[in-house]
């Protein structure tokens, strides 16, 4: 049974409020009778500054057609749009702002249901966070990945090859002229990055959670099936309103387990751990890092996608996309969960098969690319609340490694030193980047793929162990430890690492240890002075005062539901108080 969610502006007289709204709606041609139909909001994040969202016009028109076909009234409205390559200092700093914008506009406007249209890395999680909190019938659509790039017979993928060829340029093996030709071919069409980076991962997560129509996650921006999906979503959202199916009915604990397994099966981005934790938190569901590690250990990696594999979203789409992976993974999933189709996952997968012609893209369970460990959670005296590594994108030879710490105190410090020929660094050392976490940076930028020092690149070194409290793009690769929690800027033990210390990494044992005796660490702790990172005003100040740590999803403490808020605020307050006690 559909609920009437059409809130009216409050003028102290409900009848007058309705009368006034109808008067102001008439210029669009709507009659009183139209307002008796389901009113569907279309959350439009199209933007010319966000290049991944420039092509949304036809998608929105297709959604509108579908809503009208389904018997509803479509109303398009704008919210914040975040483009990864164009937003300073990092889109992660504004994900929560976009989520707040989405939630408040859904809740404040006279809407019965909403279609969310995102794509670039932080937009999909932000919209799902907002929809989870608003909790009215919702369907997620993403704009789709780009088509493949090509240079000299080699398939290119943004932005894995952005990083690869930039590294080769720094080493001197690619000329400036070649680099410009490659640059021309890296992002050849509309859409988000076409490898299994953060944008593609969050699209897969949306479908695995049941918030996207089957098949939508892999469809390219250039594929006419994207418009067909949009039109069908328009029809289906009207049905969800009529049946009163809301996000909290769909995004259950079982659904989050399914999403975690899918991240592992497709070699998804480490960013998805933060985003999934934040989305779950909005629904009062706590997702500890241990849950990702437990499910990840035995979930086979079967989608042969870059940067952990060989192929890209175009091939993935032809192979059947996320629904084909879920069909192959069916015995690992909770198939009794509800989805936006109004049916269970089991019903959605009933007629799905994986074509034998695409087994090079999606492997059978009997012959996976890897048995498990898509993302591993590390703990130790450097990261008591956890840190992440993506083994499939790392060098197996470095999974168990001890090395001397070469410490950079900030990204500015790293940029100043990393190309210095006199930098004291060897291939066996471990690069450490501090003060780049949620509060310290602020915003936890994607600086975790620390550049190999130029002097080592010139010697042929292409990977080293690198550790930071920031993030890395899902398109990145290497033996990189990320999301160290608590971060250094708030006085986490990571702040105590100094040049020359020995660090031990053991991926199999899930250990990350600073091999310095406790007496020395106590001495350093007493002398520690936090960096002065606090903003004086504006959103940055709000962000730094209320953002949670990486293991809690980096949401704001005050946006958590009551069931989790007290714990979150206590954890955040404890870290902040410790910082103040030390003179921060």
């Amino acid at each position: 049974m559909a609920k009437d969610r059409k809130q009216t502006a409050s003028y102290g007289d409900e009848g007058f409020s309705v009368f006034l709204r109808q008067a102001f709606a008439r210029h669009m041609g709507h009659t009183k009778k139209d307002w008796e139909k389901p009113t569907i909001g279309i959350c439009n994040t199209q933007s010319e500054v966000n290049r991944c969202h420039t092509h949304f016009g036809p998608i929105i028109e297709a959604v509108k057609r579908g809503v009208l076909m389904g018997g509803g009234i479509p109303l398009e409205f704008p919210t914040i749009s975040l483009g990864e390559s164009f937003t300073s200092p990092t889109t992660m700093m504004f994900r929560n702002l976009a989520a707040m914008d989405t939630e408040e506009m859904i809740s404040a406007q006279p809407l019965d249901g909403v279609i969310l249209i995102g794509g670039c890395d932080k937009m999909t999680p932000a919209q799902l966070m907002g929809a989870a909190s608003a909790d009215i019938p919702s369907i997620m659509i993403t704009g789709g990945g780009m088509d493949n790039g090509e240079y000299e017979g080699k398939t290119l993928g943004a932005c894995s090859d952005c990083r690869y060829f930039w590294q080769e340029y720094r080493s001197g093996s690619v000329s400036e002229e070649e680099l410009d030709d490659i640059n021309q071919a890296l992002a050849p069409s509309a859409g988000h990055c076409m490898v299994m980076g953060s944008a593609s991962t969050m699209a897969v997560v949306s479908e695995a959670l049941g918030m996207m129509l089957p098949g939508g996650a892999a469809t390219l921006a250039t594929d006419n099936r994207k418009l067909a999906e949009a039109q069908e979503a328009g029809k289906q959202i009207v049905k969800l309103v009529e049946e009163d199916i809301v996000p909290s009915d769909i995004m259950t604990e079982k659904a989050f387990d399914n999403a975690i397994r899918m991240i592992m099966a497709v070699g998804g981005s480490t960013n998805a751990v933060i985003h999934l934790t934040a989305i779950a938190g909005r629904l009062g569901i706590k997702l500890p890092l241990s849950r990702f590690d437990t499910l990840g250990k035995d979930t086979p990696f079967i989608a042969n996608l870059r940067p952990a594999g060989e192929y890209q979203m175009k091939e993935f789409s032809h192979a059947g996309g996320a629904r084909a992976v879920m069909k192959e993974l069916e015995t690992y999933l909770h198939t009794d969960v509800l989805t936006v189709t109004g049916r269970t996952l089991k019903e959605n997968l009933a007629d799905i098969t994986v074509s034998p012609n695409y087994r090079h893209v999606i492997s059978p369970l009997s012959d996976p690319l890897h048995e498990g460990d898509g993302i591993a959670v590390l703990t130790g005296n450097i990261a008591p609340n956890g840190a992440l590594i993506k083994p499939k994108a790392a060098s197996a030879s470095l999974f168990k490694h001890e090395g001397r710490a070469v410490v950079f105190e900030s990204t500015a410090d790293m940029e100043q030193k990393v190309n210095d020929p006199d930098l004291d660094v060897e291939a066996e050392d471990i690069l450490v980047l501090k003060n780049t976490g949620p509060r310290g940076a602020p915003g936890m930028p994607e600086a975790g793929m620390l550049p190999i020092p130029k002097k080592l690149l010139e010697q042929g070194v292409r990977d080293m162990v690198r550790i930071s409290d920031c993030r890395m793009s899902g398109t990145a690769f290497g033996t990189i430890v990320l999301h160290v929690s608590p971060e250094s800027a708030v006085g986490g033990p990571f702040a105590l690492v100094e040049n020359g210390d020995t660090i031990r990494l053991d991926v199999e044992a899930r250990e990350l240890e600073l091999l310095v005796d406790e007496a020395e660490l106590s001495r350093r702790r007493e002398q520690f002075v936090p960096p002065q990172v606090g903003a004086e005003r504006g959103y940055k100040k709000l962000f730094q005062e209320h953002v949670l740590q990486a293991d809690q999803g980096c949401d704001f403490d005050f946006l958590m539901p009551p069931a989790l808020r007290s714990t979150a605020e206590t954890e955040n307050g404890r870290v902040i108080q410790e910082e103040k006690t030390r003179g921060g």
Side-chain angles (χ1 to χ4, degrees):
M1 181 71 67
K3 291 183 180 178
D4 184 5
R5 293 186 170 87
K6 293 187 179 75
Q7 300 294 321
T8 57
S10 178
Y11 292 94
D13 181 332
E14 185 176 352
F16 173 71
S17 299
V18 173
F19 171 77
L20 185 67
R21 185 178 68 190
Q22 289 174 349
F24 274 77
R26 286 183 185 272
H27 88 283
M28 295 185 291
H30 294 306
T31 66
K32 289 178 65 174
K33 202 73 176 172
D34 290 334
W35 289 100
E36 297 174 7
K37 300 175 182 179
T39 304
I40 306 301
I42 302 171
C43 184
N44 179 9
T45 59
Q46 181 167 326
S47 167
E48 291 184 351
V49 181
N50 179 357
R51 62 86 56 210
C52 299
H53 289 208
T54 57
H55 62 294
F56 283 8
I59 296 174
I60 291 167
E61 292 306 312
V63 171
K64 289 180 178 179
R65 288 197 304 271
V67 172
L68 292 168
M69 290 175 185
I73 298 296
L75 296 175
E76 177 187 342
F77 67 95
T79 61
I80 291 169
S81 185
L82 303 175
E84 198 67 30
S85 304
F86 297 93
T87 305
S88 178
T90 170
T91 55
M92 187 62 185
M93 187 168 143
F94 302 102
R95 182 203 64 179
N96 296 346
L97 185 62
M100 292 169 71
D101 188 8
T102 303
E103 174 188 350
E104 298 300 340
M105 289 301 96
I106 291 174
S107 300
Q109 299 178 126
L111 306 175
D112 294 304
V114 65
I115 296 287
L116 309 163
I117 306 178
C120 198
D121 294 13
K122 308 307 175 294
M123 287 311 307
T124 301
Q127 291 184 313
L128 289 175
M129 290 163 69
S133 294
D135 208 27
I136 74 168
S138 308
I139 295 177
M140 185 80 224
I141 299 173
T142 56
M146 289 182 264
D147 205 348
N148 290 343
E150 184 171 331
Y151 175 73
E152 295 292 329
K154 174 181 170 60
T155 297
L156 299 183
C159 221
S160 294
D161 284 313
C162 307
R163 301 172 193 283
Y164 172 78
F165 283 107
W166 184 255
Q167 180 170 275
E168 294 306 301
Y169 169 69
R170 289 181 61 240
S171 74
S173 62
V174 170
S175 70
E176 193 160 342
E177 292 75 17
E178 288 176 298
L179 191 69
D180 189 59
D181 289 341
I182 292 164
N183 185 273
Q184 178 80 23
L186 279 168
S189 75
H192 61 68
C193 291
M194 67 289 253
V195 299
M196 189 49 68
S198 298
S200 297
T201 302
M202 291 312 300
V204 168
V205 162
S206 300
E207 189 170 335
L209 282 172
M211 290 296 293
M212 180 183 287
L213 293 180
T219 307
L220 297 190
T222 55
D223 192 325
N224 59 27
R225 289 176 295 178
K226 181 55 68 178
L227 298 183
E229 174 201 350
Q231 183 170 291
E232 187 60 33
K235 296 178 187 176
Q236 184 59 27
I237 190 63
V238 178
K239 293 180 182 178
L240 291 187
V241 170
E242 291 169 347
E243 297 171 16
D244 194 31
I245 297 174
V246 297
S248 59
D249 296 324
I250 295 169
M251 292 193 285
T252 61
E253 288 190 36
K254 287 182 177 181
F256 281 102
D257 277 358
N258 289 347
I260 292 171
R261 291 214 183 262
M262 282 294 288
I263 292 169
M264 306 303 173
V266 301
S269 168
T270 50
N271 282 309
V273 176
I274 288 180
H275 299 321
L276 208 55
T277 301
I279 298 164
R282 292 297 186 94
L283 294 160
I285 299 171
K286 191 168 185 177
L287 279 188
L289 291 183
S290 58
R291 190 66 183 155
F292 289 87
D293 198 57
T294 298
L295 295 179
K297 283 180 179 177
D298 70 347
T299 304
F301 173 42
I302 59 174
N304 190 10
L305 302 171
R306 299 183 69 194
E310 300 177 60
Y311 300 100
Q312 303 190 155
M313 293 302 286
K314 182 174 185 176
E315 293 80 15
F316 187 47
S317 178
H318 292 324
R323 57 185 170 179
V325 174
M326 284 192 279
K327 181 64 176 181
E328 193 65 40
L329 208 64
E330 192 168 7
T331 56
Y332 286 80
L333 303 177
H334 300 289
T335 57
D336 58 336
V337 294
L338 185 64
T339 72
V340 292
T341 64
R343 303 188 299 271
T344 65
L345 178 61
K346 187 176 184 64
E347 291 172 314
N348 290 348
L349 296 177
D351 299 325
I352 303 299
T353 58
V354 183
S355 169
N357 296 320
Y358 290 102
R359 281 304 190 185
H360 58 295
V361 181
I362 300 176
S363 300
L365 284 184
S366 58
D367 187 26
L369 297 164
H370 297 281
E371 294 292 341
D373 276 355
I375 295 173
V377 178
L378 310 171
T379 56
N381 63 354
I382 290 179
N385 292 352
L388 304 182
I389 188 170
K390 189 174 178 181
K392 302 303 176 290
S395 300
S397 60
L398 294 173
F399 283 6
K400 191 168 187 176
H401 183 76
E402 283 189 16
R404 182 186 60 151
V406 176
V407 178
F408 303 109
E409 294 294 333
S410 65
T411 52
D413 183 43
M414 178 183 68
E415 289 170 5
Q416 182 180 0
K417 295 175 179 176
V418 74
N419 291 327
D420 187 345
D422 295 325
L423 178 66
D424 182 13
V425 63
E426 303 292 339
E428 295 77 22
D429 292 340
I430 294 177
L431 304 183
V432 172
L433 175 61
K434 300 194 293 190
N435 298 309
T436 51
R439 293 186 66 219
M444 206 180 179
E446 291 186 341
M449 188 181 173
L450 280 66
I452 304 295
K454 186 175 176 63
K455 64 188 287 186
L456 297 182
L457 280 176
E458 292 170 346
Q459 297 170 20
V461 176
R462 291 297 182 270
D463 195 14
M464 301 173 69
V465 176
R466 288 159 274 181
I467 305 173
S468 70
D469 48 12
C470 60
R471 301 174 299 112
M472 76 172 179
S473 168
T475 64
F477 47 87
T479 310
I480 297 171
V481 177
L482 305 149
H483 305 191
V484 170
S485 181
E487 64 177 303
S488 54
V490 300
F494 189 49
L496 307 181
V497 181
E498 295 184 357
N499 273 311
D501 289 347
T502 300
I503 296 175
R504 181 178 67 228
L505 167 68
D506 190 331
V507 175
E508 185 176 350
R510 301 297 198 260
E511 292 178 352
L512 183 66
E513 291 285 338
L514 178 62
L515 303 183
V516 174
D517 66 69
E518 186 54 41
E520 172 61 16
L521 291 178
S522 295
R523 182 191 68 79
R524 294 180 189 179
R525 198 172 290 114
E526 290 174 2
Q527 296 181 349
F528 173 70
V529 177
Q532 298 300 310
V533 296
E536 293 184 0
R537 62 174 298 279
Y539 176 72
K540 184 177 178 182
K541 179 178 174 64
L542 176 75
F543 184 93
Q544 289 186 306
E545 289 181 353
H546 292 282
V547 69
L548 299 171
Q549 291 293 292
D551 61 302
Q552 296 176 302
C554 294
D555 202 355
F556 290 151
D557 49 20
F558 60 82
L559 293 176
M560 306 292 282
L564 293 183
R565 186 180 303 155
S566 58
T567 300
E569 289 175 341
T570 298
E571 286 294 314
N572 211 29
R574 176 182 57 76
V575 173
I576 292 169
Q577 186 58 45
E578 287 175 359
E579 176 186 342
K580 289 179 178 177
T581 300
R582 296 184 184 116

